[in-house]
Every structure is written in structure tokens, then in C-alpha cells.
Amino acid sequence: MKIPFVSAVILACGNGSRFGGDKLFCNLSGKTVLERTLSVFDSSDSYNEIILVTRSDLISRVKELSKNFSKVSKIIEGGDSRMKSALKGLEAVNDEAQFVAVHDGARPLLEIEDAKAVVENAILYGASILAFPASDTVKTTEGGFITSTPDRKTIYNAQTPQVFPFKEYKAILEAAIKAGHDFTDDSSIYESSGKKVYITEGKRTNIKITYPEDLKLAETLIGKEKPKMRIGHGYDVHKLAENRKLILGGQEIPFEKGLLGHSDADVLVHAIMDSLLGAAAMGDIGKLFPDTDMAFKDADSIELLKSVGKEIDKAGYKIVNIDSVVCAQKPKIAPFIENMRKNIAAALGIDITQVNVKATTEEGLGFTGNLEGISSTAVCIIEDK
């Protein structure tokens, strides 16, 4: 399915009165609540930009916290109600947007597949929200007495994100505010105009942090998650050429020739970068560092590796280990391997014991055996943090 331009408006305006403080900045297993919320939208291909709506006294703090999330395009001051804050967010949305997703900043456990599914269903059905079926019997009351018992099969608990056609929803929201309505969620506003909203079944773990015990529950839910392991494979090859330095693993190696390439042509580091990007399903180095971009002319590949490491971290993964092989008939690589391992580990912020580098000749066979070039392969394992 082709995904149109989708903007995510994250509402982070609450004063935390029921929580007893600014819950968005509370530590949740090594990250703040808001960072965990942002990471899902920032790493999802279904969203093109993030608009953060917050209180005026929190803007500088939110800016500092969100600077590592590339899709955060604007951080703006909210209004004096949820509806007015949502409208301010919509007013800041890119004109290209076809759909807008409104999400609570205090819902940090949203899963990326659910964030994607609700957008896809909004495209298919016009509008969609995440919700899960009620498990308890629900009662309506008046004056303390039960007036009815709705069929539990028809009851859903609404969550966010809630996704709507951008321009249409903005007009409906403006009219609802002008009419003095006070709705508790965006779907109710959209429904009030006679529009239909499709339910995308979400997970019960997509909780909103409202009370202190919610944070403890979120910690428990994260603690129970088993890290998802992902494996990546990388391969690279470069020609040997005169008047070039031979750089492997960030280490200059004395030799009569070097490797030809747009950057420093560090074939080992390139293979490692591709393996990491492959494990995270983030394309390859050509996508991040195109050889048509003069900014990367003669670039230090170790610096590029640092950038890849940051992207892996931002996507919510940590590196378990890297195993690599350099295929070269000449020169001898073995004396330099420890320095290569140190350089690679330092660039990625991991321990040297997590990096292995091997070297082999190909017994005079093929282009490497004929001293036409050097190749390298790498395999890595990454897992959820």
C-alpha cells in the first residue's frame, strides 16, 4: 500500500496533576516516557513528520529531549484545553499532509506495527483509531443507579493514535471549538459531524501513563518483553588503485596501493555498516551516504559508522555482536586486526569483545587473488533495547 504524507501530532501538554508531576520526563527503563513515544513515530515509515504540542514552560526542555529525533519538525505551545491544543498542532502541520494522526505523549508503549496498521486502515476506510475490546461488563448510571448494561461485545476502549483526513478533520475541529463542544478524544469530534471511524484493534499494553501505578505497570510490561533478535549481512568490494591510501577498519595499512572509492573506500567498515542497516531494515549505505553527494567525498568511514550506530540506537536497537572477514591476497592484515577492532568498537560505543575481524586470502583465485581488489563480508546481530 502506498502511504501518503502523514503528520503525527503528539499532545504533551498535561500538567500531570493526577500523576503528581511531569510524567513525560519520568525514566521508563532507561528512556523518558516522551522519548519512548517519539521513537515509534520517528522510526516508522508510515509517518513523515512529528509536531510536538506542549506547555510553554516545557518547550525548551522538550526541544532538548527531542533533538535526536529527525522527524520532529515543530515544537509549539498548546492551548487551554485538549481540543485547542490539538487544533494548534493541526495548524502547524505541513501543507502536504493528507492524513493527521493525533497521539497522547504519555502513551509510550505503542508498537510500531499498530502505528502502521491504524494509518493503513485510515487510508482504506477514511478514518481509524486504535482501540481494544472491553473485557469487563460496562454499566451506565444515573443518580447512583444502573440504567442499562450495554452489550460488552460492542464496547471498545479507545486509544491513540487516531488518524483522520487532515484538512477535513481540521475544519471539523475548528467548528466544534467554535460551537463550544468539549469532547474527550478526537474520534468523538470527528463522529459528531456524522463521519464514520474504523476500529483498528490495538493492544492492551498501549497504556496511557496517568497515575504513578501506570508507570510501574509500564516498567513491568517492558521488563517482560523478550528482546527481538535481528540478523544482518553486509558485503562490499573495492578496486585496488595507485596513489590511494589503504584504509581498513579505520586503520591505515602500509601498501603500494589503496582502495578506490568515493569515500576512503574502507571496505571492511562498509560491509559492517551494511550489515547493521540490513538487520534494522534501514536500507544500505548508498541510501544514507550516496556516492553522488560531494559531502561524502573522501569521507572517513569510521565517522560514517558512528552515524550508522546512532541511527541503530535511535531505532531502538542495541548491537549484540559483529563478525567480519577481509578477503585480501596482500598485504598481511593480521598485525592490524586489534586496532581495527578497537576503532570499530569505539565508533559504535560497544565493547571490543563484541567485534570480531578475520582475514583470509583466496589462494590466488579471483579478483582478490589477482590483487585487483579487496572484499569484505560482515554479519551482525542486533536486538531491541
Side-chain angles (χ1 to χ4, degrees):
M1 175 184 292
K2 185 178 179 181
I3 303 295
F5 193 107
V6 181
S7 296
V9 173
I10 310 294
L11 300 180
C13 303
N15 58 20
S17 58
R18 289 175 290 181
F19 185 83
D22 286 318
K23 57 194 174 185
L24 296 172
F25 304 103
C26 287
N27 177 58
L28 180 55
S29 292
K31 294 182 179 180
T32 65
V33 169
L34 186 55
E35 281 176 308
R36 286 191 173 274
T37 300
L38 290 174
S39 66
V40 176
F41 294 91
D42 199 64
S43 60
S44 172
D45 292 336
S46 300
Y47 299 86
N48 300 86
E49 70 167 351
I50 300 169
I51 309 294
L52 261 171
V53 187
T54 190
R55 302 198 317 260
S56 59
D57 60 310
L58 296 180
I59 286 178
S60 60
R61 192 173 179 186
V62 169
K63 279 183 179 178
E64 179 64 24
L65 182 146
S66 61
K67 65 182 181 182
N68 292 323
F69 298 98
S70 61
K71 290 184 183 177
V72 175
S73 60
K74 293 176 184 175
I75 299 170
I76 61 173
E77 182 181 348
D80 58 9
S81 70
R82 189 188 188 283
M83 290 173 64
K84 290 179 181 178
S85 292
L87 180 58
K88 285 201 170 188
L90 266 63
E91 289 171 343
V93 163
N94 191 303
D95 289 338
E96 294 180 51
Q98 292 171 262
F99 284 83
V100 62
V102 183
H103 186 68
D104 300 316
R107 284 191 192 271
L109 301 188
L110 172 67
E111 295 191 12
I112 196 164
E113 59 264 33
D114 293 333
K116 178 181 180 181
V118 72
V119 168
E120 291 179 343
N121 282 333
I123 296 166
L124 283 173
Y125 301 108
S128 184
I129 72 168
L130 279 183
F132 66 91
S135 57
D136 297 319
T137 299
V138 179
K139 305 286 186 181
T140 62
T141 65
E142 186 176 334
F145 291 92
I146 295 170
T147 56
S148 68
T149 304
D151 184 354
R152 189 172 64 188
K153 294 178 182 177
T154 67
I155 305 297
Y156 276 75
N157 295 82
Q159 300 176 320
T160 62
Q162 302 186 351
V163 186
F164 314 97
F166 166 51
K167 291 181 180 177
E168 181 182 55
Y169 180 58
K170 184 170 178 284
I172 291 170
L173 178 57
E174 287 172 335
I177 291 173
K178 189 175 181 180
H181 293 307
D182 184 20
F183 292 103
T184 57
D185 80 333
D186 295 271
S187 182
S188 300
I189 300 166
Y190 193 71
E191 295 162 44
S192 71
S193 68
K195 302 292 183 179
K196 289 187 176 181
V197 180
Y198 184 83
I199 291 288
T200 299
E201 191 163 322
K203 296 182 177 64
R204 296 175 189 277
T205 52
N206 183 23
I207 62 172
K208 184 178 179 183
I209 307 298
T210 304
Y211 300 99
E213 54 265 33
D214 295 328
L215 189 65
K216 293 179 182 178
L217 175 58
E219 289 277 7
T220 301
L221 290 170
I222 291 173
K224 286 183 177 179
E225 291 177 355
K226 292 182 179 179
K228 295 177 182 177
M229 186 179 293
R230 302 171 69 105
I231 299 173
H233 175 258
Y235 172 79
D236 197 36
V237 59
H238 283 279
K239 291 180 181 179
L240 283 165
E242 302 284 350
N243 301 316
R244 291 279 294 184
K245 291 181 180 180
L246 178 57
I247 309 292
L248 292 172
Q251 172 72 37
E252 184 175 345
I253 298 174
F255 193 53
E256 63 213 38
K257 293 182 179 180
L259 292 171
L260 188 62
H262 185 65
S263 65
D264 62 8
D266 190 330
V267 69
L268 171 59
V269 171
H270 292 184
I272 289 171
M273 287 194 288
D274 265 351
S275 73
L276 291 167
L277 293 169
M282 295 170 66
D284 58 23
I285 56 174
K287 181 179 177 181
L288 262 65
F289 316 114
D291 59 12
T292 54
D293 190 337
M294 293 307 295
F296 305 116
K297 177 67 175 171
D298 299 322
D300 182 342
S301 292
I302 286 291
E303 292 302 312
L304 302 184
L305 180 61
K306 290 179 183 178
S307 297
V308 169
K310 289 177 182 177
E311 291 298 316
I312 296 296
D313 178 71
K314 191 166 65 175
Y317 300 112
K318 65 179 180 180
I319 299 167
V320 178
N321 78 301
I322 296 167
D323 187 28
S324 59
V325 181
V326 177
C327 297
Q329 192 66 31
K330 289 183 181 179
K332 292 292 184 184
I333 306 298
F336 306 97
I337 282 178
E338 285 309 298
N339 279 345
M340 293 180 195
R341 292 176 65 208
K342 288 177 184 177
N343 293 339
I344 294 163
L348 293 171
I350 59 178
D351 193 83
I352 191 172
T353 60
Q354 294 171 268
V355 179
N356 192 47
V357 177
K358 305 188 292 288
T360 185
T361 68
E362 291 189 292
E363 302 295 333
L365 301 174
F367 67 89
T368 56
N370 291 327
L371 294 178
E372 296 175 50
I374 293 176
S375 67
S376 181
T377 61
V379 177
C380 75
I381 294 175
I382 62 174
E383 67 180 14
D384 294 340
K385 290 192 219 178

